[in-house]
Amino acid sequence: MNILVVSDLHWDLSQKEVSLLKMANDTCALCVCLGDIPLDQLRIVFRNVLIPTVGVLGNHDAFGLLGHAGIEDIHGRSVRVAGLQVAGIGGCPRYKDDFDRPLYSQADSLAIERELEQQPPADLLICHSSPFDFRQDRAHRGFLGISRYMRRVRPAYVIHGHDHDDKAYRRGYSFTNQGRRFTTVVCSYRVQVLQVDTIA
């Protein structure tokens, strides 16, 4: 199946990308918004994308932003959409004292993961930040909560933004050889259509 991913637009959406949003209605089953998308651009997404759409906030977003654009915020929740179980973890690691944005400590991220533990396990986890990587700077080292969710639930895909890579990259995680599902982590930037294997 194809998933339309919108992430990290930062006040700039080209006409080519708007055309891609419209074309996705015929080629994609689901749209996910991964944060750092200003309200004007979110409203463009809402007006042009007619397929089911869910999202999480980025570190530059104000709380409630997705709702103002008519898009469901699934941070800390697991929902059934487009035939998939989709969970969300928004924000990024706290790197400054700004409590009006979704910036969380590692302890916060683990608490969010514990909330998700009480909900149906996801086929797809959408995030603004990546799984935890201690080698990165404070803002980009990702969340322990995401890594723990991957180990515990083994979603088929984890899709995140935030890193502003020019093209999607994929990293595979198997953790153990116990016959459990393989997890693929995809970093996406701006507007992309991602083809994913059957994940249900």
Side-chain angles (χ1 to χ4, degrees), residues 3-9 21 30-37 41-46 49 52-58 61 66 69 71-75 86 88-90 126-128 159-161 190:
I3 296 175
L4 176 66
V5 183
V6 185
S7 182
D8 299 274
L9 295 180
L21 294 177
L30 172 67
C31 174
V32 296
C33 297
L34 305 182
D36 288 355
I37 308 169
Q41 278 75 41
L42 284 171
R43 286 176 169 156
I44 291 171
V45 171
F46 181 75
V49 176
T53 303
V54 294
V56 293
L57 296 173
D61 298 329
L66 287 166
I71 296 170
E72 184 178 6
D73 186 346
I74 64 167
H75 172 72
V86 184
I89 298 177
I126 64 169
C127 313
H128 184 63
I159 305 176
H160 72 90
R190 302 197 59 80

Side-chain angles (χ1 to χ4, degrees), residues 151 154 174-181:
R151 286 193 300 272
R154 207 69 69 79
S174 58
F175 295 115
T176 63
N177 295 319
Q178 297 177 345
R180 295 176 65 195
R181 180 163 63 177

Side-chain angles (χ1 to χ4, degrees), residues 58-186:
N59 54 294
H60 293 291
D61 298 329
F63 291 106
L65 181 71
L66 287 166
H68 288 307
I71 296 170
E72 184 178 6
D73 186 346
I74 64 167
H75 172 72
R77 298 170 50 219
S78 178
V79 300
R80 192 80 181 166
V81 57
L84 299 175
Q85 196 69 34
V86 184
I89 298 177
C92 88
R94 182 170 297 285
Y95 62 95
K96 61 181 179 177
D97 289 331
D98 183 348
F99 294 91
D100 295 325
R101 309 288 174 191
L103 304 175
Y104 304 108
S105 68
Q106 294 299 335
D108 292 335
S109 80
L110 292 169
I112 295 163
E113 196 277 338
R114 281 191 294 275
E115 290 177 15
L116 286 172
E117 190 174 345
Q118 309 304 316
Q119 301 177 50
D123 303 304
L124 169 65
L125 176 65
I126 64 169
C127 313
H128 184 63
S129 289
S130 65
F132 185 74
D133 183 347
F134 71 92
R135 297 168 297 182
Q136 304 301 319
D137 65 73
R138 283 176 62 195
H140 294 90
R141 66 184 47 162
F143 282 134
L144 288 168
I146 295 171
S147 296
R148 188 169 73 179
Y149 192 84
M150 289 169 57
R151 286 193 300 272
R152 182 176 62 79
V153 173
R154 207 69 69 79
Y157 284 86
V158 175
I159 305 176
H160 72 90
H162 190 48
D163 291 344
H164 293 204
D165 285 343
D166 290 332
K167 60 181 180 179
Y169 69 79
R170 294 172 183 246
R171 294 181 293 174
Y173 292 79
S174 58
F175 295 115
T176 63
N177 295 319
Q178 297 177 345
R180 295 176 65 195
R181 180 163 63 177
F182 193 80
T183 296
T184 299
V185 176
V186 180

